[in-house]
Amino acid sequence: MNSDLNKKFNRAIELRKLLNEASHAYYVLDAPSIEDSVYDQLYRELVNLENRYPELITADSPTQRVGDKLSSNFPKKTHRVPLQSLDNAFNFQEVSEWNARSLKILNQGESKEDILTSIELICELKIDGNAIALSYENGLLVRACSRGDGIQGEDITSNVKTINSIPLSLRMENPPKWIEIRGEAFIPHRTFEGINKKRRMALESEFANSRNACAGTLRQLDPQVVASRKLDFFAYTIHLPEELDEIKYNLAKPKTQIEALQYLKNIGFKINPYNQVFLGLKDLKEFLNEWEIKRHDLPYSTDGLVIKVNKFNLQKRLGFTQKAPRWAIALKHPAAEAPSKLLGLTFQVGRTGVVTPVAEFEPIMLAGTSVSRATLHNANRLLSLDLHSDDTIIIRKAGEIIPEVVRVLPGLRNQYAKCLSLPINCPICNSTLISENDEAATRCINTNCPAILQGALRHWVNKGAMNIEGLGSKLIEQLVEKKLINSIADLYELDINLLEKLDRMGAKSAKKIIQELEISKGKPWHKQLYGLGIPHIGERNAQTIAMQFTNSSILKDVACKSPEVIQEINGIGEEISDSLKTWFSSEANQKLIRDLKRVGLTLEATQEEKLKKDQISDNSTKLLFGKIFVLTGTLPSLSRSKAKELIENSGGSISSSISTNTSFLVAGEKAGSKLKKAKTLGIKIIDQNELLKLLT
Ligand code: IVH
């Protein structure tokens, strides 16, 4: 065997093992081990491998199985009409290929005038629940079975009878001897959340999703529990006896799927209202795209759309493959999770020196876009994932945007795989990395590390800070690599002649950058502060802090000598004051401030900004600024609301409860527990007269 085929052969073994184990966990143990979308994609990978290399197929391959294994808690019953599964498509192209195949089959041997150019298709939502087969005899529900292996299912009649939307008797005057109905039992989102909440409270393991909860419920031995879980049901298929006498039963036998849905509705079933018939693919595509978004607003889960040939006579001509009807296909919603093969880790060093591991993997499609890398955030995450070389990993798009590694499938791991961890030395400057005990972050603390400098420069020139157009990452990289600059301040001493000679630069762009840098010297103080890239000082915090402390010297003094003053500002906590203290205490940062001033930056609010500050903080000049009052009891002549108004007009604020932050308790007659608490905490207690004195 050549080495490529050998690799494929090993991969097929891995995939078979994992898929078989996953099936066992799902169907036999009732404890799913991997997400459905992941199963689907690994299954596909195996099918593709086996299609290309049929010699890889083994008898135990999950691809050779018709239906799935049964567990044995309930008696087995053979379905009157087998329950088939559906073939899957994962994009519109595959749907149109399916349509073309159907047309080809239908047109085989047809004369020219009978050639079909398009087929009437009906699109339904694919409800993410569990298929149920209902048998009615003489109009009465006599049996309800799970799908099982498609031939035999489990008799779960008593459980299914608790589902209110399933009629126990059909709304038909003269029902035929038998009718078989198929549909999907499911649990709506809200009910599902309630079930999991209850399980959480009872310290039981939660269901991973509503379909598992539904499957678990249907297999409950106690129908009372099933009834309490409030399942629901949408019917989508009806099988009637061939010899049905339409006149006697007063209902025309449906000739199309859309008529069948109407029929189901007429005889008492709930059908899903979002179905539509299309002639050909064009409008269908729009419907599919629309539902990709609209499905999120439904009160229950769907995992795709089902497209069926509408006319039953055409369905009959198309028939079935071994596993599924040729007349239908399921278009699965693009997975938000997918497996991929890890190619390796890279490490990014940010502007604060934090090292972030990034997983690089074989490109995969996720929610419609191709992804090949995902951040692992920090060393802890890397550890908890227990990543090994060449691992098969599950990638998810968090919030549909940022890809992340959810977990690893150790079952697909090669026994010689190496455990992956963070490097000991900075991948950029090679100095030893530091991890602080109480921090997940691992950092490079070499202030001369080119990666840190590049990050600091990118931050300084970004839109929210100095907003220097033309000074992009590539140029910054060159400036640092060529050692033309060693700090932010050096940007302002760049020689235009040197600048214009750099890659992708010219006289014009160099001139523009120098001009922009010059203009940036006059940027507001809060933008300069933000641009310094002090940890935790984002744009908003920078504004708040710059408003209170109008230049870098004042800020440095306060941060280093009395950080509690910074914490008193609304919305600013200890984390921020600590960060400012650490930053300003560093000799390298103090030098940076000196250098920035030397090259012409003010690091100070302009007169205009200071004026604005005075206007805004007008309150602070008022008598009671910063004082917190609590009112208790009845004051002799002031109502509560009047007292509140007077205090607030003088810049004070009112709180409803006593704490160590309380400045005064204004106590009147019949003061109760607040007075007691204030005494214990040593809060100053005043009466109405003293309050009025404070206000004047
Ligand atoms: S038609 C011959 N229509 O999807 C197969 N199935 O992945 C007839 N499903 O086993 C199935 N919604 O449990 C059909 N509107 C729908 C459906 C639907 C959900 C389920 C069903 C089936 C599975 C196949």
Side-chain angles (χ1 to χ4, degrees), residues 441-693:
T442 304
R443 292 171 196 275
C444 171
I445 52 161
N446 169 17
T447 43
N448 295 319
C449 175
I452 299 178
L453 177 57
Q454 281 186 38
L457 288 163
R458 278 197 301 271
H459 185 73
W460 180 257
V461 303
N462 93 54
K463 254 199 174 140
M466 297 299 110
N467 190 16
I468 297 169
E469 260 180 58
L471 228 170
S473 299
K474 287 272 176 261
L475 182 57
I476 288 177
E477 212 176 290
Q478 286 190 69
L479 292 170
V480 173
E481 272 173 10
K482 297 200 160 105
K483 299 207 165 33
L484 296 175
I485 52 178
N486 289 311
S487 82
I488 299 171
D490 289 352
L491 279 176
Y492 293 86
E493 292 183 320
L494 268 175
D495 178 1
I496 189 160
N497 299 315
L498 270 177
L499 196 58
E500 64 181 47
K501 289 200 184 74
L502 294 173
D503 287 353
R504 286 189 280 176
M505 289 295 290
K508 212 170 148 197
S509 36
K511 191 172 164 214
K512 177 99 185 14
I513 288 175
I514 300 288
Q515 271 171 357
E516 292 259 340
L517 281 165
E518 203 49 41
I519 295 170
S520 78
K521 291 178 183 169
K523 289 267 152 122
W525 159 224
H526 66 86
K527 293 212 175 239
Q528 301 180 36
L529 175 60
Y530 168 64
L532 292 173
I534 304 170
H536 305 295
I537 313 296
E539 282 185 74
R540 255 186 80 168
N541 285 339
Q543 266 182 15
T544 316
I545 293 165
M547 181 68 83
Q548 294 290 331
F549 310 104
T550 50
N551 67 44
S552 60
S553 318
I554 300 177
L555 180 58
K556 181 191 155 209
D557 279 352
V558 181
C560 298
K561 292 180 194 146
S562 29
E564 69 284 354
V565 176
I566 297 180
Q567 287 167 34
E568 275 166 22
I569 306 172
N570 208 357
I572 306 287
E574 203 176 327
E575 198 176 37
I576 293 169
S577 72
D578 280 356
S579 175
L580 284 164
K581 186 175 176 184
T582 313
W583 197 90
F584 278 106
S585 307
S586 135
E587 178 44 43
N589 292 332
Q590 285 176 24
K591 180 175 184 305
L592 175 64
I593 297 274
R594 286 195 300 273
D595 288 347
L596 282 170
K597 284 185 177 166
R598 180 176 50 77
V599 297
L601 280 124
T602 56
L603 299 179
E604 177 163 11
T606 56
Q607 270 320 104
E608 211 176 304
E609 287 174 81
K610 283 183 188 156
L611 211 70
K612 200 169 151 203
K613 173 196 162 172
D614 289 344
Q615 278 164 7
I616 292 177
S617 58
D618 190 26
N619 247 356
S620 66
T621 59
K622 291 184 179 169
L623 277 171
L624 301 183
F625 173 70
K627 299 282 184 266
I628 301 170
F629 289 77
V630 176
L631 302 169
T632 185
T634 317
L635 300 178
S637 59
L638 281 178
S639 68
R640 275 278 169 103
S641 55
K642 189 69 199 164
K644 183 169 181 274
E645 189 189 316
L646 289 173
I647 291 169
E648 285 177 348
N649 283 346
S650 299
S653 56
I654 300 282
S655 166
S656 59
S657 58
I658 301 276
S659 75
T660 45
N661 290 332
T662 310
S663 319
F664 297 99
L665 174 75
V666 186
E669 235 182 89
K670 292 197 187 131
S673 60
K674 283 182 188 162
L675 183 59
K676 229 173 167 181
K677 190 167 177 194
K679 278 181 182 158
T680 353
L681 292 177
I683 307 287
K684 194 163 170 47
I685 299 157
I686 54 172
D687 61 14
Q688 180 181 300
N689 279 344
E690 285 164 305
L691 171 67
L692 291 173
K693 264 190 219 152

Side-chain angles (χ1 to χ4, degrees), residues 84-86 124-127 131 184 236 306 308 325 327:
Q84 247 154 325
S85 180
L86 290 171
E124 295 170 20
L125 303 191
K126 186 165 171 350
I127 311 299
E184 202 80 353
Y236 47 70
V306 185
K308 303 174 182 172
W327 46 261

Side-chain angles (χ1 to χ4, degrees), residues 141-159:
L141 177 63
V142 291
R143 190 171 311 126
C145 289
S146 65
R147 178 172 178 274
D149 62 5
I151 308 290
Q152 282 194 318
E154 290 166 323
D155 186 337
I156 47 171
T157 312
S158 6
N159 286 348

